[in-house]
Amino acid sequence: MHGIVFDLDGTLTDSQPGLLKSLRHMHDAVGWEQPSEAELVRWLGPPLVTVLTEAGHEPAVVERAIAAFRVAQADGGLVDSTLYDGIDGLLAELDAAGRPLAVATHKMQLDADAVIDHYGLRHRFRGVHGRVAGEVGHSKAEVIARAIASVGLPAAEVVMVGDRINDIASARELGVRTIGVAYGYGGHEELAAAGADTIVDDVDGLRRALLEHAAA
């Protein structure tokens, strides 16, 4: 029985509305020019502190920017999202079949917990894992490793489902098979370049891929 680790933003939830509003609030608060929506969407995935630091901003400015972002998230942006069509039913089906499930996200742990509880999905997962203090950078390997541990299976018996290069590349670091979801924020080209074993276009395709993986 293979386990499944899901990314959150862009995989289970379409959180783009709340994230983009929060990022625009951050730009206004710090006095930065507003980028295009396409540019902001590219920020969705890695930790914000990583994106801002790599853009060359000083630590004090990064701290101010993240504080402004978190104000907007706390003011409703965190849960300004929807489950992708079919995800609730898919999780229920996998859970009923006894598939051990977990979440691994680059959101901070408290935020990950809040979103999962907002949608009433806690009972579907063996563990919900976000970043903890000190975890920065593009790799999600540490978070995914915690999720695998909560599933209770070897890495070779787990599949990672995600929408960005961070999900796919980090899972590959751990020897985990991957399914890329092109309906999220990365798209086919990014997922293929990251080395996804399978790429799907919608939740129905994800369901079929997971059933095939279980039978493999």
Side-chain angles (χ1 to χ4, degrees), residues 7 39-56 104-107 130-132 134-145 160 162-174 190 194:
D7 173 48
E39 183 177 344
L40 284 181
V41 169
R42 289 197 292 269
W43 292 24
L44 307 184
L48 184 55
V49 63
T50 300
V51 174
L52 295 176
T53 300
E54 290 182 349
T105 173
H106 255 152
K107 284 187 178 300
R131 286 188 298 123
V132 298
E135 287 182 346
V136 296
H138 290 282
S139 177
K140 283 178 70 171
E142 292 184 7
V143 183
I144 295 171
M160 175 75 201
D163 70 311
R164 299 301 310 265
I165 186 174
N166 317 76
D167 304 308
I168 305 305
S170 300
R172 286 169 59 85
E173 285 182 47
L174 300 169
E190 177 176 318

Side-chain angles (χ1 to χ4, degrees), residues 159-200:
V159 61
M160 175 75 201
V161 181
D163 70 311
R164 299 301 310 265
I165 186 174
N166 317 76
D167 304 308
I168 305 305
S170 300
R172 286 169 59 85
E173 285 182 47
L174 300 169
V176 175
R177 287 186 58 81
T178 56
I179 298 175
V181 295
Y183 61 76
Y185 307 139
H188 267 271
E189 185 175 345
E190 177 176 318
L191 293 167
D197 294 296
T198 303
I199 301 174
V200 301

Side-chain angles (χ1 to χ4, degrees), residues 67 81 122 135 145 158 200-201:
S81 61
R122 175 74 58 177
E135 287 182 346
V158 176
V200 301
D201 292 313

